[in-house]
Amino acid sequence: MESLNKEQLRAVTTTSPKVLVIAGAGAGKTKVLTERIKHLIDNGVNPEEIIAFTFTNRAVKEMIYRLKDYKFENVYTFHKYSFSILSRYKDEIGYVKKKRINIVDDEYQYVLLEEILNDLNSPYNQRFIKDYISKRKNNISYKYKNTEEAGILNNIFFKYQSLLSQREMLDFDDMVSMLVNNIDNLKHKDDILNHCKYILVDEFQDTNKIQYDLLTKLSSKYYNLFCVGDEDQLVYSFRSSDIEIINNFKIIADEVIVLNQNYRCATNILNLANRLISHNTNRLEKELFSEINPKFKIKCDDYENTNLEAAYIASKIEMLINKCGYKPNEIAVLFRNNSGSLKIEYALKKLNIPFTTYGKLKFYKHEKIKRLIAFYRFLENPDDYILYRQAIPIDEAIYQYLIPEYKSSNKRFIDYLVDSKYEQLKPLAIKVKELLSNKSKYDKSKLFDIILKLLFNDSYNGEKNYLIEFKDLLVNNELEHEIDIINELMLDDGTFNKNEMGVNLLTIHKAKGLEFKCVFIISLNDGILPSNLNDNNLIEEERRLLYGAQRLQEIGTCQRICSVNF
């Protein structure tokens, strides 16, 4: 507690029930959150009555690590918490036929939507419908063109939801919304709320409407809600984060505390960032300050094209590593979109500089891992032909005829395949049927090897490392069943791992909350960053994005100074 400044101490020790802490970047918000949890426990609060929410698994692990001496682990993402409650009380929400609820991936959703749209002869595509369903589940309004469109989209939504429910599955958008919609009817609601006597929320500015509805429900018994955020750091409106939530909470909060001392950035970096964000109007006026003297000047370079930019940055990084003693993982190159990394990657490869990219593919989205996951799930749900198709690709022309025939056959799906007229599908179907009959005889390791042989016939050298890692996850996990660890994997947000030894290539969104000794920000071009010059709300978000990137910065580069009034 001695290390806290005056405002941090006020936040940690406040007795107000509803508190909003506006914490500027580098102002010690994680420290405040963890110290407040320690303070509550030290003053007699049962740790089981405290719960903390944050937005990434990385942040969850960081908070749990800082609280290891207190053995406090009640830190969750919204999705992970919601899924754990729904799984625990699944019978009460009507999921009674199967042992567990499973989470579906995007590919499964698209196949399911494709069938619904084909059955209804609908002109809409799956991507549009998936986006519509996501908005609806997150309480984001959609303006229908007319009553006819409203009827069609409602019909598609309810058919989709009915099919998911029949399979006792959830998509990602279901988790929080389903808990919000069902919690009042759960027999154990009071028990749930008793574990939420003190609720702490990190990155509150990123909260969307349905997540805030969940916080409102969970805090409805004790009203203790401690939220830490900063409207200047809201950069996820594309994920339905709503700046009005934090702005409205300011009005109803019993106490608003501003943390404005920055412990991360030198004064010159902070002054530049403050000047940038001051152009935004929808924010609480505050001026971050720092007592850290600058070691370097902020450098802004102009290049004729992206090839020259990439070549210069790579040569500069080479100099920093070889002559200045920097480790590669102490350096970051940030960009607006993933496509921005391609030329930097090429330039670093030419100089044999190691690098690590983030945000491209989550582990479970690698092709063979996806097929393995689908097959494990099929073994548990052998009548789910979509899972079979994901695991064992079937020619599209055959599939269109096969599924209607199967649905009218009254047979188990695998029996239908073994007896069907499609000879090319039979040999593998016979092996799968045999495995379904005998799978209980095998331990986890043997079962994995059999499945690997059955699906890929030894042709998997390109992704061997991923498969070995996946086998290790399945065989050595402490959870009851392979599907449980797969659900855990689906809930993983694929967040940044700073233990990698290469130069870090990240989008600005991925870099949020991190810090590096040296940072290059590239492609500050009209149309890239900022990406839209016509909508003032979007311009304000683009400013917030660059504001966040600048505060990680000691060295910066751009191709052209943006013409917009930054």
Side-chain angles (χ1 to χ4, degrees), residues 415-514:
D415 292 333
Y416 165 76
L417 285 182
V418 169
D419 299 337
S420 76
K421 63 187 178 185
Y422 302 104
E423 294 295 329
Q424 63 270 52
L425 303 180
K426 285 186 178 184
L428 199 52
I430 291 168
K431 291 180 182 178
V432 173
K433 182 176 180 178
E434 183 182 350
L435 181 57
L436 282 166
S437 301
N438 297 311
K439 66 174 181 173
S440 60
K441 298 177 183 178
Y442 306 119
D443 62 22
K444 292 179 179 180
S445 181
K446 180 65 175 173
L447 181 63
F448 183 90
D449 292 338
I450 291 170
I451 294 171
L452 208 61
K453 177 79 172 174
L454 187 148
L455 292 184
F456 308 124
N457 197 27
D458 296 329
S459 60
Y460 47 78
N461 283 335
E463 299 191 43
K464 193 168 185 177
N465 289 338
Y466 291 113
L467 296 173
I468 291 170
E469 188 175 345
F470 188 57
K471 180 178 181 179
D472 184 60
L473 280 171
L474 294 182
V475 173
N476 297 318
N477 83 82
E478 296 176 359
L479 298 175
E480 178 186 344
H481 197 277
E482 292 89 344
I483 301 297
D484 295 324
I485 194 64
I486 287 171
N487 279 329
E488 286 286 311
L489 203 59
M490 302 284 279
L491 285 165
D492 187 1
D493 49 31
T495 44
F496 174 84
N497 175 11
K498 205 175 174 182
N499 293 323
E500 300 283 353
M501 288 311 296
V503 173
N504 302 287
L505 309 183
L506 303 98
T507 64
I508 298 172
H509 285 99
K510 278 283 177 186
K512 189 169 179 282
L514 301 172

Side-chain angles (χ1 to χ4, degrees), residues 243-396:
I243 198 165
E244 289 307 314
I245 291 172
I246 189 170
N247 286 336
N248 291 337
F249 192 73
K250 284 179 205 165
I251 299 168
I252 65 169
D254 300 298
E255 189 173 6
V256 177
I257 302 167
V258 178
L259 307 182
N260 60 353
Q261 182 170 356
N262 180 286
Y263 293 92
R264 179 188 298 164
C265 299
T267 52
N268 59 337
I269 296 173
L270 208 56
N271 291 340
L272 181 67
N274 284 336
R275 195 159 65 246
L276 166 69
I277 204 64
S278 67
H279 291 284
N280 278 9
T281 56
N282 198 8
R283 62 188 291 266
L284 180 74
E285 282 295 330
K286 63 181 180 298
E287 187 82 4
L288 291 184
F289 71 93
S290 170
E291 295 178 351
I292 303 172
N293 293 321
K295 292 181 181 178
F296 307 99
K297 290 182 179 179
I298 297 170
K299 195 167 186 293
C300 185
D301 288 329
D302 182 24
Y303 302 96
E304 290 183 14
N305 56 60
T306 53
N307 291 323
L308 289 174
E309 177 189 52
Y312 170 80
I313 290 173
S315 66
K316 188 75 172 178
I317 289 172
E318 183 181 42
M319 182 269 291
L320 289 168
I321 294 169
N322 294 339
K323 295 185 179 180
C324 301
Y326 282 74
K327 295 175 184 175
N329 68 346
E330 294 175 333
I331 302 168
V333 181
L334 307 183
F335 32 83
R336 179 66 172 82
N337 303 309
N338 272 319
S339 58
S341 75
L342 295 177
K343 290 185 178 178
I344 297 292
E345 290 177 34
Y346 178 72
L348 291 173
K349 281 178 186 176
K350 282 179 70 175
L351 297 177
N352 293 315
I353 298 171
F355 61 87
T356 308
T357 57
Y358 297 93
K360 291 192 173 180
L361 262 188
K362 293 180 181 179
F363 176 80
Y364 71 83
K365 290 195 173 182
H366 287 270
E367 185 59 36
K368 288 184 171 56
I369 302 296
K370 284 197 298 185
R371 290 181 61 189
L372 276 164
I373 286 173
F375 194 80
Y376 268 98
R377 289 183 157 174
F378 175 77
L379 291 179
E380 195 173 72
N381 304 279
D383 281 321
D384 194 329
Y385 53 86
I386 294 178
L387 291 173
Y388 189 90
R389 182 191 183 190
Q390 284 183 290
I392 301 169
I394 297 173
D395 183 87
E396 185 65 33

